């Protein structure tokens, strides 16, 4: 039996890879309630450290938030944590859209949402069934659901309320 090793990672390091959802994983199930809880937890942790005179560089010294374990195989298949990784990606897509309205984009989020290889984008949480939906959400914040979409796509759209 192989030894399982655990390593703490920050969000930038965690989302710096491309992960795959194995066929046997359950569908994406987080609804608005869980998304709001995640955003509130992250916001609370941020606000515990925030001071008005802080700049962007000061955020690097802020306290850690324990997201929970994310277990992946050596070949990047997610065994545990796909709900959180997908939800974080959706939050980052939303924040990226907010930044598009600003004159300057203070934080590059694209590389936390997708990786690029040979000119092709691949989402950090990569799943063929979800990629069209995630692309629509990333590009213009919308996706029109079609017949036969997976439960995951339907739940994603319900949790971000794009319809």
């Amino acid at each position: 039996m192989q030894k399982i090793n655990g390593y703490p990672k920050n969000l930038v390091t965690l989302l710096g890879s491309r992960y795959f959802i194995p066929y046997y994983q359950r569908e994406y199930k987080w609804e608005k309630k869980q998304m709001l809880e995640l955003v509130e937890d992250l916001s609370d942790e941020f606000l515990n450290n925030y001071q008005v005179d802080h700049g962007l560089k000061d955020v690097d010294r802020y306290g850690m938030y324990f997201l929970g374990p994310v277990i992946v195989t050596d070949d990047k298949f997610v065994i545990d944590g796909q709900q959180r990784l997908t939800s974080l990606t959706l939050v980052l897509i939303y924040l990226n859209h907010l930044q598009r309205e600003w004159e300057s984009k203070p934080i590059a989020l694209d590389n936390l949402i997708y990786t690029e290889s040979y000119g092709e984008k691949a989402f950090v949480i990569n799943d063929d069934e979800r990629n069209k939906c995630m692309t629509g959400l990333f590009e213009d914040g919308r996706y029109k659901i079609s017949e036969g979409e997976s439960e995951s796509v339907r739940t994603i759209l319900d949790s971000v309320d794009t319809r």
Side-chain angles (χ1 to χ4, degrees):
M1 176 180 256
Q2 286 186 331
K3 183 179 177 184
I4 297 174
N5 297 309
Y7 306 100
K9 293 186 178 190
N10 65 32
L11 193 59
V12 172
T13 303
L14 178 66
L15 296 179
S17 292
R18 185 163 126 187
Y19 302 100
F20 303 93
I21 307 295
Y23 71 91
Y24 55 82
Q25 274 286 0
R26 70 183 176 135
E27 298 281 341
Y28 179 73
K29 297 280 190 181
W30 275 26
E31 297 176 348
K32 283 183 190 178
K33 178 184 178 219
Q34 290 88 358
M35 290 287 287
L36 287 172
E37 286 174 2
L38 175 65
V39 170
E40 286 174 8
D41 286 351
L42 293 170
S43 298
D44 287 347
E45 185 60 39
F46 176 83
L47 292 172
N48 283 336
N49 295 277
Y50 176 75
Q51 293 181 18
V52 175
D53 61 334
H54 283 181
L56 285 176
K57 288 183 180 182
D58 294 312
V59 174
D60 193 40
R61 295 190 313 260
Y62 285 14
M64 298 291 216
Y65 172 77
F66 181 67
L67 185 61
V70 175
I71 301 171
V72 296
T73 63
D74 289 339
D75 49 356
K76 303 294 184 178
F77 282 91
V78 178
I79 304 304
D80 184 36
Q82 69 114 340
Q83 305 291 319
R84 285 168 278 142
L85 287 173
T86 301
S87 298
L88 282 170
T89 302
L90 293 170
V91 168
L92 289 168
I93 287 172
Y94 175 76
L95 293 173
N96 199 46
H97 279 281
L98 288 178
Q99 287 190 135
R100 288 179 185 172
E101 299 170 8
W102 300 346
E103 269 185 46
S104 64
K105 195 173 184 178
I107 302 170
L109 298 176
D110 293 3
N111 62 338
L112 300 176
I113 298 168
Y114 66 85
T115 60
E116 197 162 350
S117 180
Y118 301 105
E120 300 229 353
K121 291 179 184 171
F123 288 94
V124 168
I125 190 77
N126 195 34
D127 182 59
D128 290 340
E129 289 183 346
R130 303 178 196 179
N131 285 342
K132 284 183 184 177
C133 172
M134 298 297 278
T135 299
L137 293 175
F138 177 77
E139 289 177 355
D140 65 9
R142 300 186 189 286
Y143 179 72
K144 184 174 180 169
I145 199 160
S146 58
E147 195 171 318
E149 294 281 6
S150 71
E151 181 183 342
S152 291
V153 169
R154 292 179 185 284
T155 306
I156 285 170
L157 293 174
D158 286 343
S159 70
V160 297
D161 199 15
T162 63
R163 295 181 260 177

